[in-house]
Amino acid sequence: QVQLVESGGGLVQAGGSLRLSCAASGRTLSNYGMGWFRQAPGKEREFVAIISWRGSDTDYTDSVNGRFIISKDNAQNTVTLQMNNLKPEDTAVYYCAAGIRYWRGRYNSNMIAYADWGQGTQVTVSS
């Protein structure tokens, strides 16, 4: 069992940047991926970015590719999402996930069948 706490959300103007952090504690398990997902009002939760345990492999949803960067620090048990050139359509609650069965290649939803989730942090991008 792992506990995840997101931070770094807030209000930012379009074109600005935010950095989200996720701190993991408890029974962290090596060799599983971590990632970020988001849910906008009236929409389903969607995949944003994922990273393998060693950080050597990543994947992004097309809408954020080139603007967002996911990274992690195993020594600190943290995963970070650097969000640049934010757009109003990025407005959502962002959730951190751990225990993702991802090692390489493209993400698919089967990988989060047994994932653990944080409580989320709100990101609001004004136009």
Side-chain angles (χ1 to χ4, degrees):
Q1 184 181 9
V2 61
Q3 289 73 236
L4 304 171
V5 179
E6 303 95 334
S7 62
L11 175 64
V12 65
Q13 292 183 336
S17 298
L18 284 174
R19 186 195 308 110
L20 305 183
S21 294
C22 174
S25 62
R27 297 180 182 179
T28 57
L29 186 62
S30 298
N31 209 37
Y32 288 84
M34 299 183 69
W36 290 94
F37 298 73
R38 67 188 181 187
Q39 186 169 21
K43 296 186 178 296
E44 298 295 314
R45 183 184 64 190
E46 67 172 339
F47 162 73
V48 176
I50 194 167
I51 187 167
S52 65
W53 177 253
R54 297 298 300 271
S56 57
D57 292 272
T58 60
D59 191 27
Y60 300 87
T61 193
D62 288 344
S63 63
V64 310
N65 194 35
R67 299 188 296 121
F68 292 8
I69 302 171
I70 188 171
S71 61
K72 72 194 305 282
D73 184 342
N74 287 350
Q76 298 293 322
N77 281 339
T78 59
V79 61
T80 299
L81 186 68
Q82 177 66 45
M83 305 186 295
N84 301 314
N85 191 24
L86 283 161
K87 303 176 180 180
E89 51 263 43
D90 294 318
T91 296
V93 177
Y94 283 70
Y95 297 92
C96 177
I100 303 173
R101 301 201 304 271
Y102 173 81
W103 292 275
R104 65 186 63 83
R106 303 303 303 274
Y107 165 82
N108 72 73
S109 61
N110 293 329
M111 297 174 179
I112 59 171
Y114 301 100
D116 296 300
W117 299 88
Q119 292 181 295
T121 185
Q122 177 71 49
V123 172
T124 302
V125 184
S126 62
S127 59

